Amino acid sequence: MSLLSLHNIHSFYGHIHALKGVSVDVEEGEIVTLIGSNGAGKSTTLRTISGMIHPRQGQVLLDGRDISRMKPHAIVLAGLGHVPEGRGIFPKLTVRENLEMGAFTVNDPEEIDRRMKFGFDMFPRLKERIGQYGGTLSGGEQQMLAIARGLMMNPRLLMLDEPSMGLAPVLVELIFDIIKALNKKGTTILLVEQNALMALSVAHRGYVLQNGEIVVSDTAESLKRNGMVQKAYLGID
């Protein structure tokens, strides 16, 4: 049984049919990426999984449990973390307070400290800025904070939406190194990323979305050799 399964998902924004029969599987321990152009349905897929949008048709299963109609906070409690596009940190809260907000259901202070230490081990720069307001951090630091906050609920599956957006190349490399390190430590990851080459360099498998439909799915290595993927997303003619 897959950790996450989407079966024939149809999602809408009003009358706009955004996802048209999307099926995706993520096995425990994998990094799976969704690639595609702007408007293809990548972020909508993540929003559907996390309960921000409920599908009109199809099922979302997390470890065999149907979460298709659950509220977002209940899906978080079920083991899903979602780091949205644009980071979504609290700019007027400190780094520590942002992380504490990520563990809003954890009542054990020692457990909160343990999880915070894990975040600081992954992102030492955040520890140096523990008392600094989130809005005063650099873009790269805010992305680190968003990921560290997403880890505070100790999710079985972490979804990352455009983690490299707006970052300098050296920080993009750092963020993707951290994604690989998180996966090696046992976190299953579903990654949406405009930089398809970087995404495929860390992923085990990938799905290509076009106009709300999956058009190709394969191993990451095979997708990098796929002529359509090379031309449309990797800049190779």
Side-chain angles (χ1 to χ4, degrees), residues 74-140:
I75 294 174
V76 171
L77 292 174
L80 185 82
H82 185 183
V83 180
E85 181 182 354
R87 298 153 196 157
I89 64 161
F90 299 101
K92 295 185 178 180
L93 297 183
T94 66
V95 167
R96 174 185 287 278
E97 290 166 340
N98 266 275
L99 294 176
E100 289 172 344
M101 288 293 288
F104 67 99
T105 63
V106 182
N107 296 317
D108 182 354
E110 291 185 1
E111 178 62 16
I112 291 174
D113 287 344
R114 187 190 68 78
R115 295 184 188 185
M116 200 174 293
K117 182 181 182 301
F118 177 80
F120 290 150
D121 287 343
M122 298 302 300
F123 303 98
R125 200 174 304 182
L126 293 180
K127 188 173 184 180
E128 298 170 7
R129 290 156 172 74
I130 189 169
Q132 192 168 326
Y133 290 114
T136 67
L137 301 176
S138 70

Side-chain angles (χ1 to χ4, degrees), residues 185-196:
K185 289 180 178 291
T187 303
T188 303
I189 294 171
L190 179 58
L191 171 67
V192 161
E193 177 55 53
Q194 194 70 27
N195 187 331

Side-chain angles (χ1 to χ4, degrees), residues 32 43 48 53 64 71 76 84 94 119-120 123 134-135 138 146 148 154 179 230:
V32 173
S43 294
T48 301
I53 303 168
K71 294 181 178 180
V76 171
T94 66
F120 290 150
F123 303 98
S138 70
N154 197 25
I179 290 170
Q230 288 182 338

Side-chain angles (χ1 to χ4, degrees), residues 162-175:
E162 302 287 4
S164 77
M165 180 177 287
L167 300 184
V170 64
L171 289 175
V172 172
E173 294 279 355
L174 175 61
I175 291 296

